[in-house]
Amino acid sequence: MSNEANNTKSSKLFKGKSLAVTIATVLLFAAVLTFAIYEGTKNTVSVTANGEQEEVRTHAETVGAFLEEQEIEAGEHDFLSHSKETVIDKDLALEWDAAEQYNVTVDGEATSAWTTENTVAEILAKANIELTKYDKVSPALEEQVDEETTISVEKAYEVTIQDGLKEKKVWSTSTTVADFLKQHKVSVGKLDRVESEMDELVLPNSKVKVVRVEKVTDVVEDSVKYAVETKKDNSLLKGNEKVVQKGANGVVKKTYEVIKENGKEVKRDLKNEKVVKEPTKQVTAVGTKTVVATVSRGAQAKAAPVAAQEEKKAAPQKEKAVVKTASAETAATPAKAKAAPAEAEPTGGKEFYVSATAYTASCTGCSGITATGINLHANPGLKVIAVDPSVIPLGSKVWVEGYGNAIAGDTGGAIKGNKIDLFMANKSDALSFGRKQVKVRILN
């Protein structure tokens, strides 16, 4: 082959290579330009995820599309600075923080809360747990915690404290009686009593009672009743009494140990007893002397000791004669007896007026024996009057207007004060006497 032919062939080959290079260059330029244009139309999203920041260029039109592009799954409790529907038409700063699950117990019941916050107060707020100032929360509200920490809440309830006589309502959480009293600064003394076991749990709407106990010493003085001694006295008429020595109560000092609960005495123990003053016994003389009465037979009088009644029984014939004579005289000459002049009023002695009635020994149920031992059945002629011993002493000799000299030898339930009752042997005479105001004189 000639040189000219070779040159022509080489020229055609060169031209072919240059065209290919040119096309490749154009295509590369176009690609670069297209890429540059594509990249140039992207927006820059500055993402802060869980505290770490990164810039990402994207053609995503919304935040939701961007998150899907980045394979980020945002939960309903996560924090997202822009909603998923937000349009990305320019550079955007996007913040995303994934929520953590925190465990919470309320009065022992478990619950949980999803949140991006990490303080106890914020977690409880996210869990919709309402608190009062009396509720007990652990850890403290201001502390920061992680998802490994369990938050405990004890809800407070009302409890009544009865401290002695004082009562008040307070708030408490589940605790023992001992801790409850300590929390509310209620001290318990050595003698005080708590009406609950100290390790017992305090329940809602319950009452914790503290009984205040005190032990005191009480010293009192009591009187000691005097004794009464009686002695027979033959100088006093039978039925009369006389205080020879007046009695006086003694004094004893008693020391007691007194237990009080809430101010009220519940127990008293005698610890010591000491006689301060001995009692003085009262000595009373009791009369044993019998009365000497006067038997009136007309104008004559004869001494007849009442004590001689037994002797009269020993000599019945003689006694019967006396009695019969007196009775016969009285029965045979009643007009003469009534007409006999009254005994002259003596002088001297205590004089006063009394209301006088009459009585007889022959009434139904009457014994005929006076309070001083006079047998009126055996001595119907005696002049005896019933008196109030506080006005006219028993055994006194008394002159009675219209009746004469008599002995105060009897008493009566109705004879009180300035009243006397005249003994009459005849029942009709006693009935006809009625009631009269008469003068009397106490002769001895």
Side-chain angles (χ1 to χ4, degrees):
M1 184 178 294
S2 63
N3 288 335
E4 184 176 348
N6 289 332
N7 289 334
T8 301
K9 187 178 181 179
S10 297
S11 174
K12 289 180 180 180
L13 181 59
F14 177 75
K15 287 180 180 181
K17 289 182 177 181
S18 297
L19 180 58
V21 170
T22 300
I23 293 171
T25 301
V26 170
L27 291 173
L28 178 60
F29 176 75
V32 170
L33 179 61
T34 301
F35 178 78
I37 293 172
Y38 177 78
E39 290 294 324
T41 58
K42 286 183 176 181
N43 293 313
T44 301
V45 178
S46 179
V47 182
T48 302
N50 295 327
E52 296 182 3
Q53 187 173 5
E54 182 180 357
E55 289 188 354
V56 179
R57 291 183 61 78
T58 182
H59 277 118
E61 294 181 354
T62 64
V63 170
F66 173 76
L67 294 175
E68 289 181 4
E69 181 183 275
Q70 299 299 317
E71 297 182 350
I72 296 175
E73 295 183 7
E76 61 175 315
H77 301 290
D78 295 351
F79 173 77
L80 198 60
S81 60
H82 297 75
S83 68
K84 292 182 180 182
E85 291 76 23
T86 301
V87 177
I88 303 175
D89 56 1
K90 56 183 178 179
D91 293 346
L92 179 70
L94 180 64
E95 186 176 350
W96 168 68
D97 194 4
E100 299 287 348
Q101 184 180 28
Y102 294 89
N103 296 319
V104 180
T105 61
V106 180
D107 291 337
E109 294 186 5
T111 185
S112 63
W114 287 87
T115 180
T116 58
E117 307 295 342
N118 63 353
T119 65
V120 173
E122 291 167 331
I123 294 170
L124 294 178
K126 191 69 176 180
N128 296 319
I129 297 174
E130 296 183 0
L131 298 175
T132 69
K133 63 179 180 179
Y134 304 106
D135 295 337
K136 183 178 179 181
V137 181
S138 178
L141 292 173
E142 64 277 6
E143 287 194 29
Q144 295 182 345
V145 296
D146 56 30
E147 61 273 20
E148 301 298 326
T149 302
T150 297
I151 300 170
S152 173
V153 177
E154 292 183 45
K155 301 294 291 182
Y157 43 78
E158 272 195 333
V159 177
T160 301
I161 296 178
Q162 184 176 321
D163 186 357
L165 297 177
K166 297 178 181 179
E167 188 172 295
K168 64 178 180 179
K169 292 185 179 295
V170 297
W171 289 90
S172 176
T173 55
S174 180
T175 186
T176 63
V177 171
D179 289 338
F180 172 78
L181 294 175
K182 185 176 180 180
Q183 289 170 8
H184 294 281
K185 298 179 181 179
V186 179
S187 59
V188 180
K190 184 178 179 181
L191 297 176
D192 297 336
R193 184 177 74 255
V194 180
E195 294 191 344
S196 302
E197 296 297 332
M198 297 300 279
D199 57 354
E200 185 179 326
L201 288 178
V202 177
L203 301 176
N205 300 315
S206 61
K207 180 182 285 189
V208 177
K209 295 181 181 180
V210 179
V211 180
R212 296 301 181 181
V213 182
E214 59 178 327
K215 184 186 294 184
V216 297
T217 299
D218 187 20
V219 179
V220 297
E221 288 188 351
D222 286 343
S223 63
V224 180
K225 182 67 178 178
Y226 60 83
V228 177
E229 180 183 341
T230 58
K231 293 183 177 180
K232 294 181 179 181
D233 190 337
N234 59 11
S235 67
L236 290 175
L237 287 174
K238 183 178 181 181
N240 283 2
E241 293 184 357
K242 180 180 179 182
V243 177
V244 178
Q245 177 177 290
K246 189 175 182 181
N249 290 338
V251 178
V252 61
K253 182 184 288 185
K254 297 180 179 179
T255 303
Y256 293 92
E257 181 182 82
V258 181
I259 304 297
K260 293 183 178 182
E261 293 185 357
N262 295 337
K264 183 179 179 180
E265 182 177 324
V266 296
K267 187 178 181 182
R268 174 178 288 259
D269 290 330
L270 180 62
K271 295 297 182 182
N272 187 33
E273 186 172 343
K274 181 180 179 182
V275 176
V276 178
K277 178 184 175 183
E278 293 286 352
T280 301
K281 69 179 178 180
Q282 179 167 300
V283 180
T284 302
V286 178
T288 59
K289 180 180 179 182
T290 55
V291 178
V292 177
T294 301
V295 179
S296 298
R297 294 182 180 85
Q300 295 182 351
K302 182 177 180 180
V306 176
Q309 297 303 316
E310 295 301 324
E311 295 179 8
K312 290 179 182 178
K313 291 179 181 178
Q317 297 300 323
K318 180 180 180 181
E319 178 61 28
K320 284 181 180 179
V322 174
V323 174
K324 182 176 181 180
T325 302
S327 299
E329 184 178 338
T330 302
T333 59
K336 180 181 178 182
K338 291 182 180 179
E343 297 178 21
E345 180 179 352
T347 59
K350 182 180 179 182
E351 174 189 313
F352 55 96
Y353 282 85
V354 297
S355 175
T357 53
Y359 75 103
T360 179
S362 60
C363 62
T364 302
C366 295
S367 67
I369 306 299
T370 70
T372 56
I374 301 173
N375 190 332
L376 298 176
H377 289 301
N379 296 277
L382 291 180
K383 289 188 176 182
V384 180
I385 63 175
V387 299
D388 181 345
S390 65
V391 177
I392 300 176
L394 281 173
S396 301
K397 291 181 180 180
V398 184
W399 174 84
V400 181
E401 180 183 5
Y403 187 69
N405 294 326
I407 187 77
D410 206 354
T411 59
I415 308 304
K416 301 294 180 184
N418 285 15
K419 292 182 180 180
I420 63 174
D421 213 2
L422 310 178
F423 167 66
M424 294 186 177
N426 190 291
K427 185 176 181 180
S428 61
D429 291 343
L431 292 173
S432 64
F433 184 83
R435 184 183 298 274
K436 299 177 182 180
Q437 284 288 119
V438 297
K439 185 197 302 183
V440 297
R441 282 183 183 274
I442 301 175
L443 302 178
N444 70 331

